[in-house]
Amino acid sequence: MTLEVYQYPYGPGANYGVLLHDPVAKETASVDAGDGAALMAALEKTGWPLTEIWVTHHHHDHVDGLEEVKAATGCTVRGPAPESQPIAGLDLRHGDGDSFVFAGHSVHVIHTPGHTTDMINYYLPSERLVFTGDTLFVMGCGRLFEGDGPMMHASLQKLVALPEDTVVYCSHEYTEANADFALTVDPNNIALRERATAVKALRAEDKPTVPTTLADELATNPFLRANDPAIRAHLGMEDASDAEVFTEIRRRKDAA
Ligand code: ZN
Ligand code: FE
């Protein structure tokens, strides 16, 4: 991997910010800018000069620091072309299938509506790296604030189509609660049980469980496993569509 990644926590919502840095081109991208002070501190700590911000969606815990950091650094701000709520400070808007170049690396934009309708994710094929915002979490997925179950299911299927060794950075440390819930719908999944134990040990030491990989998510994330016969049997939904099974798992998570 030629790009360096720096992840840092911020805010009361267990958020993660991520910096992506090319040491040769001396360019740095920040995925979202939810907390201006935390982002400026991360830049100070790494010594990396910020050149771009990539906004995933309009929620305040992802954009609250945007204008402050843009004013301080003069960086270029990329964000969603699909509109939901307005986002102040965007310079460039990207929609599904768009791509742009960051420090010589191709970045593909994937529209993943469901949590919000404006959500976009950023995929770097050369690095096998994807930034999923609040769409795909470790053993979980985002709540459906603006979309519905079939919409979110279709969005997650776009991410699943990426290579299995893709490294996934998401925007929140919700993993421990996600693992507890996952065990309620997929209780006999050995990989899930082992991972839930490993996650508890990491969190007991206050260590991050992010990033993850698509392979690990396919094995343990119930929101990517709507086609799994054991989960379908557990839910009594053997004859339902994958989108229907997904929607039921999401409904149960919301009620948990
Ligand atoms: Zn959000
Ligand atoms: Fe969020």
Side-chain angles (χ1 to χ4, degrees):
M1 195 175 274
T2 56
L3 292 176
E4 297 172 38
V5 181
Y6 179 79
Q7 176 177 258
Y8 61 95
Y10 67 87
N15 282 82
Y16 285 125
V18 188
L19 300 176
L20 197 57
H21 177 66
D22 186 301
V24 177
K26 298 194 171 19
E27 292 182 36
T28 308
S30 169
V31 179
D32 289 327
D35 182 321
L39 174 46
M40 294 306 293
L43 294 168
E44 174 94 40
K45 175 150 188 178
T46 55
W48 297 345
L50 188 67
T51 44
E52 303 194 3
I53 294 170
W54 302 347
V55 176
T56 59
H57 66 300
H58 70 273
H59 281 163
H60 71 88
D61 60 315
H62 300 256
V63 300
D64 270 0
L66 197 163
E67 290 182 285
E68 171 193 347
V69 172
K70 183 181 180 181
T73 62
C75 68
T76 298
V77 183
R78 302 177 185 274
E83 292 262 9
S84 170
Q85 302 291 313
I87 300 172
L90 291 190
D91 299 305
L92 297 164
R93 296 172 191 276
H94 300 291
D96 194 46
D98 285 0
S99 59
F100 60 89
V101 175
F102 167 71
H105 304 268
S106 176
V107 183
H108 293 196
V109 174
I110 306 171
H111 184 214
T112 59
H115 176 73
T116 63
T117 50
D118 64 349
M119 178 74 74
I120 58 173
N121 294 164
Y122 297 88
Y123 171 55
L124 288 83
S126 65
E127 308 293 303
R128 288 279 206 271
L129 208 48
V130 68
F131 300 95
T132 62
D134 289 357
T135 297
L136 175 63
F137 293 132
V138 182
M139 291 184 271
C141 74
R143 275 180 193 270
L144 306 179
F145 288 113
E146 297 179 0
D148 60 14
M151 184 188 282
M152 183 60 128
H153 179 255
S155 292
L156 290 168
Q157 289 305 302
K158 289 184 182 175
L159 297 176
V160 163
L162 303 177
E164 284 198 14
D165 61 352
T166 302
V167 173
V168 177
Y169 281 85
C170 60
S171 297
H172 291 270
E173 177 62 66
Y174 292 158
T175 306
E176 201 168 355
N178 286 343
D180 288 343
F181 170 75
L183 286 166
T184 69
V185 293
D186 197 10
N188 298 317
N189 180 339
I190 302 294
L192 171 58
R193 287 158 70 161
E194 290 178 355
R195 196 177 188 196
T197 303
V199 155
K200 291 223 184 298
L202 280 173
R203 295 308 298 150
E205 295 180 40
D206 206 29
K207 289 181 177 162
T209 64
V210 179
T212 177
T213 65
L214 275 184
D216 284 345
E217 294 312 305
L218 284 163
T220 60
N221 187 328
F223 296 100
L224 303 184
R225 295 168 54 75
N227 60 352
D228 181 72
I231 291 180
R232 290 170 153 266
H234 186 82
L235 298 176
M237 297 182 75
E238 287 92 338
D239 298 325
S241 69
D242 288 353
E244 287 168 338
V245 174
F246 169 87
T247 301
E248 172 60 14
I249 296 170
R250 188 60 252 180
R251 188 194 68 73
R252 290 183 181 221
K253 177 69 167 68
D254 290 340

